[in-house]
Amino acid sequence: MTRRKTPGANERSVQIDLFGSTVAPSLPFTEPHRPVPMRRVPAAKTTASPVPKPEGEAMMVERLERTGRYRVLRKLAPREVLSHLRPPADRTPGGWPRLGIVLDTETTGLDHAAHEVIELGMVAFTYDESGVRDVVGVFSQLQQPTGPITPDITRITGITDEMVAGRRIDLEAVRRFVEPADLVIAHNARFDRPFCEKLCPGFEAKPWACSVSEVDWTALGFEGTKLGYLVGQCGYFHNGHRAVDDCHALLEVLAQPSRTQAEPAFRQLLASAAAPRLRVHALGSPFHTKDILKARGYRWSDGSGRQPKCWWREISEDAMNEEARFLETEVYAGGMNAHVERLTACARFKA
């Protein structure tokens, strides 16, 4: 058991007032007390890491990708706008270069008859037989709808009521931008074209092409047709679901060279737009054949837009004989009651 030592006669308890102005009495030491000088510790350096130069970044990316364990996505940078290269309005019809427009809309819903455009983005570019050449114009404007934007639409597009408050799309500027175009391209033209024709005159007379349905992305080595997938598989990332950003991204995807034996995407698009298509209306098809028609790619028309109320699909001209045999044997039991409509790119993808 350890006992506490009681102070002797020669020892004193000392209370030191740390905040007092007088000096406290000295304590007895066996050796003189010498203060130990304090060493100054240098402050840690907080300089930011140096930003690698572009050539340094390229080397790092190459080293990562060479391992086979990494795939690096580059931020997609829009092409420089070279407005002075825009083809003149009086150029020879059918001559090169031609003017194309990549277009995208953001809307308050999916039904063009009930919903409205809240953003229109367009990128004008020149092209020739070899493919995409130069960006020569950009258009991007917001518009306030007649009602509030729903939370779901804001979540998808990032567009809020505050962003569109008091905004109107300049329809005359849209008309001037579109007027000289030789081709309008949308990623799902069947959605965008009806909205655009409702928004502004001038779209209804233009040839349209759809980069979803008129490009064989699978043959080009892509998985899926969503724009985000296509951009990512080209090695890029971008600010998706804003109209003009999607336009720049789609143009870059279309301009990519083919990674397979298939024709490049943009040349496929041009060839499809130049070739007439046939719209086959399966008039009076028996009700029990609806699943057979749907499985073959037919879609139901409710009779709106001056279209027959029936199942229909679009095919190439050289596929008509096979389609007629299918309808005779699988749908009409030996007869043929389909109505066939010949469509050019000017009439395709209408409502």
Side-chain angles (χ1 to χ4, degrees):
M1 183 173 179
T2 304
R3 295 181 180 275
R4 186 174 181 182
K5 185 178 179 182
T6 304
N10 297 327
E11 296 177 337
R12 302 181 290 155
S13 295
V14 177
Q15 180 176 353
I16 301 174
D17 184 0
L18 294 177
F19 302 97
S21 57
T22 59
V23 179
S26 299
L27 292 173
F29 291 97
T30 55
E31 294 182 3
H33 174 65
R34 297 183 179 87
V36 179
M38 296 182 61
R39 286 191 305 169
R40 184 178 296 276
V41 180
K45 295 183 179 180
T46 58
T47 55
S49 301
V51 178
K53 294 181 179 180
E55 57 270 19
E57 288 182 352
M59 290 176 61
M60 288 190 293
V61 169
E62 183 182 357
R63 289 180 64 183
L64 285 171
E65 292 183 334
R66 200 186 303 149
T67 67
R69 299 191 301 272
Y70 300 93
R71 181 178 296 170
V72 180
L73 299 182
R74 286 84 167 167
K75 184 176 182 180
L76 192 146
R79 299 186 178 203
E80 182 183 1
V81 180
L82 305 175
S83 56
H84 62 282
L85 296 180
R86 193 179 183 97
D90 59 350
R91 70 189 187 279
T92 304
W96 304 103
R98 295 180 183 173
L99 185 68
I101 289 176
V102 174
L103 173 151
D104 186 49
T105 59
E106 301 297 347
T107 66
T108 57
L110 301 178
D111 184 359
H112 72 277
H115 299 119
E116 303 170 71
V117 173
I118 54 176
E119 184 177 36
L120 174 63
M122 297 185 286
V123 173
F125 65 98
T126 58
Y127 66 92
D128 56 21
E129 305 102 315
S130 62
V132 174
R133 292 179 57 173
D134 302 295
V135 170
V136 294
V138 173
F139 181 95
S140 178
Q141 288 187 0
L142 293 164
Q143 176 158 286
Q144 182 178 4
T146 54
I149 298 173
T150 65
D152 282 344
I153 295 299
T154 295
R155 178 179 53 81
I156 294 170
T157 66
I159 300 174
T160 65
D161 287 318
E162 291 74 21
M163 292 169 61
V164 299
R167 301 286 192 93
R168 299 296 299 172
I169 293 174
D170 186 341
L171 300 184
E172 178 57 26
V174 173
R175 188 194 63 78
R176 291 196 305 268
F177 195 92
V178 173
E179 187 176 23
D182 296 287
L183 185 66
V184 177
I185 301 168
H187 202 62
N188 192 2
R190 198 170 298 283
F191 173 84
D192 289 291
R193 181 167 188 169
F195 274 103
C196 289
E197 290 187 355
K198 178 184 175 183
L199 176 70
C200 180
F203 286 108
E204 72 283 349
K206 291 297 175 183
W208 281 69
C210 177
S211 52
V212 172
S213 63
E214 296 185 278
V215 175
D216 190 345
W217 294 107
T218 302
L220 288 168
F222 290 88
E223 300 174 4
T225 61
K226 286 188 176 181
L227 183 57
Y229 296 161
L230 300 176
V231 172
Q233 290 172 59
C234 285
Y236 298 102
F237 68 92
H238 81 299
N239 178 27
H241 295 297
R242 288 303 304 272
V244 78
D245 295 318
D246 282 350
C247 292
H248 285 295
L250 178 57
L251 182 63
E252 206 59 47
V253 170
L254 291 174
Q256 295 291 308
S258 177
R259 299 177 293 182
T260 67
Q261 297 300 314
E263 281 283 299
F266 187 71
R267 290 176 63 177
Q268 286 190 41
L269 204 61
L270 290 184
S272 179
R277 305 271 294 176
L278 302 179
R279 180 175 290 177
V280 181
H281 302 271
L283 299 175
S285 59
F287 179 78
H288 70 271
T289 64
K290 63 181 179 62
D291 291 334
I292 299 173
L293 289 165
K294 189 175 181 179
R296 193 170 174 86
Y298 279 78
R299 304 172 62 181
W300 176 252
S301 169
D302 60 5
S304 61
R306 293 179 293 181
Q307 293 296 319
K309 188 175 182 178
C310 64
W311 291 92
W312 65 273
R313 74 175 295 208
E314 287 184 14
I315 60 173
S316 61
E317 285 188 310
D318 56 9
M320 186 59 219
N321 289 337
E322 181 184 349
E323 199 66 23
R325 283 194 295 271
F326 160 78
L327 290 169
E328 289 173 1
T329 58
E330 302 291 334
V331 177
Y332 295 114
M336 175 63 174
N337 194 32
H339 169 69
V340 181
E341 181 182 5
R342 192 170 187 269
L343 301 174
T344 66
C346 290
R348 217 172 296 164
F349 310 115
K350 283 181 173 288

